[in-house]
Amino acid sequence: GSSSALKHRLDAGAVLRRASSIPGCKSVPIPNSPLICSFLVGLDQASRESRDPEKLARISVFTDTGTISIGRVLQGNIRQVFRRNVTSLDTVEEILRDPPQLARIDDKMVSSKHPPRSPMAQLELVDVGYTILTGEREKLSQHVSALEQLQRDRKANQEAKAAATAAALSSPAVA
């Protein structure tokens, strides 16, 4: 094996092997991305007759960071949630077997066609909006932090390799 300074949180081969035993879970190969394992799950529940896209989930496991992306169709839109720093194959399997459901917000609560009339209904609408935006901000902040850490790790790994190469080039050959 190589002595890489960047340690992967999950082994891609182990993730693929674990997923292969799950009913309704199909691997979706991503060319030139050996560190990403992607799956379509729920194929056993979304029968050919119903073809309900809300029963399906697209799950991507980023084995280097341990981030898992769960994408679902909700009310005709694709939505994603993330789990970060996953290091357990059991957790990966749990998510593949039973992907998290997304929060469904009643259209009547946020419809702009019929604005709430009472001050209490307006306050409730503001509260719902604030809660949604706060959750989104937290998810995005965590995702940016994870990407920044990955970038720092990769830079440190490149610098270590460059220093090792420079040291090897500058040291006298041993006869």
Side-chain angles (χ1 to χ4, degrees):
S2 77
S3 59
S4 171
L6 189 62
K7 185 180 180 320
H8 298 264
R9 293 183 187 266
L10 292 162
D11 175 70
V15 169
L16 291 167
R17 284 190 298 278
R18 189 69 76 101
S20 68
S21 68
I22 298 172
C25 178
K26 180 177 180 348
S27 178
V28 180
I30 300 179
N32 304 317
S33 297
L35 300 178
I36 304 171
C37 300
S38 193
F39 306 95
L40 191 59
V41 299
L43 293 167
D44 52 339
Q45 298 168 0
S47 68
R48 290 184 187 269
E49 300 83 48
S50 76
R51 286 212 165 103
D52 183 1
E54 292 194 14
K55 298 228 185 294
L56 299 173
R58 171 76 180 256
I59 305 204
S60 296
V61 180
F62 298 83
T63 59
D64 52 348
T65 62
T67 297
I68 300 177
S69 159
I70 300 110
R72 283 188 172 275
V73 174
L74 183 66
Q75 298 169 325
N77 296 307
I78 296 173
R79 301 275 166 77
Q80 284 187 296
V81 294
F82 297 89
R83 259 310 270 280
R84 292 188 48 240
N85 300 320
V86 174
T87 56
S88 162
L89 286 172
D90 291 340
T91 302
V92 173
E93 183 175 343
E94 284 172 28
I95 291 171
L96 289 171
R97 285 191 186 279
D98 187 19
Q101 296 294 322
L102 303 180
R104 182 182 298 267
I105 297 164
D106 187 357
D107 281 338
K108 294 179 198 99
M109 273 300 276
V110 294
S111 172
S112 60
K113 295 175 196 147
H114 306 288
R117 293 198 165 102
S118 75
M120 283 307 289
Q122 290 175 350
L123 188 60
E124 189 175 7
L125 179 60
V126 168
D127 200 35
V128 166
Y130 178 75
T131 301
I132 292 168
L133 291 173
T134 300
E136 290 300 313
R137 184 189 73 219
E138 288 172 3
K139 283 192 292 189
L140 288 171
S141 294
Q142 290 175 350
H143 195 61
V144 166
S145 294
L147 290 173
E148 287 171 342
Q149 183 61 48
L150 179 61
Q151 193 173 24
R152 285 191 296 271
D153 290 349
R154 285 184 176 159
K155 185 177 181 187
N157 193 26
Q158 287 172 345
E159 289 171 355
K161 282 183 182 175
T165 302
L169 293 174
S170 66
S171 67
V174 177

